[in-house]
């Protein structure tokens, strides 16, 4: 009996240690990748966040900040987005800020609240603070810092690029909303993109610059319908026009290139990739429109995640969609921060 008790105690201690030690993966070279929770606080509150550091880590790597959608956590977003997997291949650090359920019971970023649409306040200040903390701790390249988000995280990613264009070199908006683009959910925005672009430009203030944007959308998304992504693209093209003193002129209806593709295999979905460029062939925006996809992470693996007793795979994972994470990361890495408003 005593021996069994000792064994139970040892196993309990081992289990406790396992929960406290960061998740790591050892490579053939003996280095370890890590994926660990941290906590950040400032005058606007506090948030947890996770950081993935690849085994190939070295100072000066790029940083991608990935913002989850509603009813998600940092860990679940990492699984669905596969940014850790891509970061291991391409060589960058990933940070996953996590919403506090006390701030939103559905774990949504509160992109729709005016207090969270301004620099130095609310959730933008917290996310920017996390970004700066990760940059400082891991010595990532401040010229190659990017923000990406899906759904509510997509709306917040747009806001982060507007409020902190001096922090993020480029942005990714996946099934998200334009700046101050209510209602968005279930319908297109009520305000024209010209107004959204002007409001965004005004918020940028003296920090205004052209911000390349990568947009993803499913054409069967009824939660955040397709027209919202059209508005996101046009908002940023108009922002770029204002920030570049009229030199970066491009419109949604006159793209520079469009190509079609289809994910290989049975049931693979087709998609269109459209690119817009400005003066000097500067790449201003790229959009992936995936046919037949709803409000879901394209190419996300199924794992039977449970939320409230029901599987969330059906709603949020679509393994039949193309890999959009790799092209998003490649788009980012083509766009380091520039000092001039009118250069690529």
């Amino acid at each position: 009996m005593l021996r069994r008790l000792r064994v139970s105690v040892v196993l309990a201690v081992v289990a406790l240690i396992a929960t406290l030690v960061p998740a790591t993966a050892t490579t053939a070279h003996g280095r370890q990748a890590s994926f660990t929770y941290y906590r950040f606080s400032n005058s606007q509150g506090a948030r947890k966040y996770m950081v993935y550091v690849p085994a190939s880590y070295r100072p000066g790597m790029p940083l991608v900040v990935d913002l989850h959608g509603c009813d998600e956590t940092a860990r679940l977003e990492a699984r669905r987005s596969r940014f850790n997997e891509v970061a291991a291949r391409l060589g960058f650090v990933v940070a996953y800020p996590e919403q506090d359920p006390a701030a939103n019971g559905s774990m949504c970023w509160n992109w729709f609240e005016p207090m969270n649409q301004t620099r130095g306040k609310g959730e933008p200040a917290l996310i920017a603070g996390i970004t700066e903390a990760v940059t400082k701790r891991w010595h990532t390249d401040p010229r190659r810092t990017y923000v990406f988000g899906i759904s509510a995280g997509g709306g917040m990613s747009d806001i982060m690029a507007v409020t902190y264009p001096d922090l993020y070199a480029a942005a990714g908006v996946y099934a998200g909303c334009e700046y101050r683009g209510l209602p968005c959910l279930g319908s297109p925005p009520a305000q024209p993109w010209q107004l959204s672009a002007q409001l965004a430009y005004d918020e940028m203030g003296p920090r205004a610059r052209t911000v390349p944007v990568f947009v993803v959308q499913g054409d069967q998304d009824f939660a955040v319908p397709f027209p919202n992504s059209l508005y996101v693209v046009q908002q940023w093209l108009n922002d770029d026009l204002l920030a570049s003193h009229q030199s970066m002129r491009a419109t949604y209806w006159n793209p520079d290139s469009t190509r079609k593709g289809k994910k290989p295999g049975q049931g693979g979905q087709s998609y269109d990739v459209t690119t817009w460029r400005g003066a000097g062939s500067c790449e201003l925006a790229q959009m992936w429109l995936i046919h037949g996809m709803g409000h879901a992470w394209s190419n996300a693996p199924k794992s039977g995640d449970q939320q409230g007793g029901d599987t969330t795979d059906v709603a949020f994972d679509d393994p039949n969609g193309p890999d959009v994470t790799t092209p998003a990361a490649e788009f980012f890495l083509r766009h380091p921060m520039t000092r001039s408003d009118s250069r690529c």
Side-chain angles (χ1 to χ4, degrees), residues 246-263:
Q246 307 296 310
S247 69
M248 295 295 177
R249 187 175 297 276
T251 63
Y252 181 89
W253 296 272
N254 293 289
D256 288 85
S257 66
T258 300
R259 66 177 176 87
K260 295 184 180 296
K262 185 178 185 298
K263 182 175 180 178

Side-chain angles (χ1 to χ4, degrees), residues 147 154-166 168-173 176-179 193-194 196-198 200-201 203-204 207-215 228-244 248-252 276 284-286 331:
V147 62
M156 186 56 73
S157 177
D158 193 307
I159 289 171
M160 296 309 299
V162 168
T163 54
Y164 291 89
D166 52 337
Y168 302 104
V173 181
C177 309
E178 67 169 345
Y179 185 65
W193 58 77
Q194 294 91 334
S196 181
Q198 186 64 57
Y201 179 69
E203 172 62 30
M204 286 181 172
R207 297 167 293 276
R209 51 173 283 270
T210 58
V211 178
V213 62
F214 185 91
V215 179
N228 285 282
S229 288
L230 183 160
Y231 278 55
V232 168
V233 171
Q234 193 61 32
Q235 173 218 310
W236 281 107
L237 294 179
N238 280 28
D239 278 341
D240 294 341
L241 182 65
L242 294 170
S244 67
M248 295 295 177
R249 187 175 297 276
T251 63
Y252 181 89
W276 292 265
L284 301 177
Q286 185 175 112
F331 178 90

Side-chain angles (χ1 to χ4, degrees), residues 282-325:
C282 292
E283 189 178 30
L284 301 177
Q286 185 175 112
M287 179 174 180
W288 286 60
L289 179 62
I290 304 169
H291 302 295
M293 191 179 74
H295 198 66
W297 249 113
S298 186
N299 200 43
K302 297 278 187 188
S303 72
D305 292 313
Q306 296 292 314
Q307 184 76 29
D310 298 319
T311 180
T312 61
D313 279 341
V314 175
F316 299 118
D317 299 351
D318 193 339
N320 294 321
D323 171 18
V324 294
T325 312

Side-chain angles (χ1 to χ4, degrees), residues 5-6 34 38 77 104-105 116 160 167 179 182 185 205 228 234 245 247 271 301 319 323 329:
L5 180 60
R6 287 174 178 170
S34 64
Y38 298 90
E77 172 64 9
N104 186 296
N116 293 310
M160 296 309 299
L167 183 59
Y179 185 65
L182 292 169
L185 299 178
N228 285 282
Q234 193 61 32
H245 311 293
S247 69
Y271 55 90
D323 171 18

Side-chain angles (χ1 to χ4, degrees), residues 14 18 54 70 98 112 127 129 142 146 164 179 189 191 200 218-219 315 337:
V14 169
C70 298
E98 186 172 286
F112 46 86
I127 295 168
Y146 310 97
Y164 291 89
Y179 185 65
Q191 70 182 20
D219 67 2
M337 184 79 75

Side-chain angles (χ1 to χ4, degrees), residues 64 66 77-87 89-90 92 94 96 148 174 214 216 288 290 297-301 321-333:
V64 173
D66 183 14
E77 172 64 9
R79 184 190 68 76
R80 287 174 170 157
S81 73
R82 299 171 33 259
F83 263 118
N84 291 0
E85 173 189 319
V86 176
R89 277 194 289 111
L90 299 185
F92 56 88
V94 192
Y96 299 90
F148 185 99
Y174 189 144
F214 185 91
V216 185
W288 286 60
I290 304 169
W297 249 113
S298 186
N299 200 43
D323 171 18
V324 294
T325 312
T326 299
E330 292 172 342
F331 178 90
F332 290 157
L333 298 179

Side-chain angles (χ1 to χ4, degrees), residues 25-238:
T26 305
T27 68
H29 302 289
R31 302 190 187 99
Q32 288 186 328
S34 64
F35 190 35
T36 312
Y37 262 112
Y38 298 90
R39 186 173 178 82
F40 173 83
S41 62
N42 62 14
S43 62
Q44 301 301 302
R47 293 293 186 275
K48 295 191 301 181
Y49 63 100
M50 296 194 77
V51 178
Y52 174 77
V53 182
S56 60
Y57 166 77
R58 65 186 185 282
M61 273 188 165
L63 168 63
V64 173
V65 178
D66 183 14
L67 303 174
H68 63 75
C70 298
D71 293 319
E72 285 194 308
T73 61
R75 193 178 296 277
L76 185 52
E77 172 64 9
R79 184 190 68 76
R80 287 174 170 157
S81 73
R82 299 171 33 259
F83 263 118
N84 291 0
E85 173 189 319
V86 176
R89 277 194 289 111
L90 299 185
F92 56 88
V93 175
V94 192
Y96 299 90
E98 186 172 286
Q99 178 63 297
D100 188 336
N104 186 296
S106 297
M107 295 288 286
C108 305
W109 296 104
N110 293 304
W111 59 271
F112 46 86
E113 295 179 347
M115 68 170 291
N116 293 310
Q117 299 168 349
T118 304
R119 184 184 180 95
K121 296 181 180 179
E123 290 170 9
L126 286 164
I127 295 168
I130 290 170
T131 303
E132 291 166 341
V134 174
T135 298
K136 182 177 180 180
R137 178 166 182 162
W138 281 276
H139 305 286
T140 59
D141 186 352
R143 294 183 63 248
R144 295 187 295 166
T145 301
Y146 310 97
V147 62
F148 185 99
I150 184 169
S151 191
M156 186 56 73
S157 177
D158 193 307
I159 289 171
M160 296 309 299
V162 168
T163 54
Y164 291 89
D166 52 337
L167 183 59
Y168 302 104
V173 181
Y174 189 144
C177 309
E178 67 169 345
Y179 185 65
R180 299 191 181 183
L182 292 169
C184 184
L185 299 178
S187 73
Q191 70 182 20
W193 58 77
Q194 294 91 334
L195 175 57
S196 181
Q198 186 64 57
L199 291 170
Y201 179 69
D202 292 343
E203 172 62 30
M204 286 181 172
R207 297 167 293 276
R209 51 173 283 270
T210 58
V211 178
V213 62
F214 185 91
V215 179
V216 185
Q217 180 71 48
D219 67 2
Q220 297 302 304
D221 188 339
F222 299 109
V224 180
F226 162 68
N228 285 282
S229 288
L230 183 160
Y231 278 55
V232 168
V233 171
Q234 193 61 32
Q235 173 218 310
W236 281 107
L237 294 179
N238 280 28

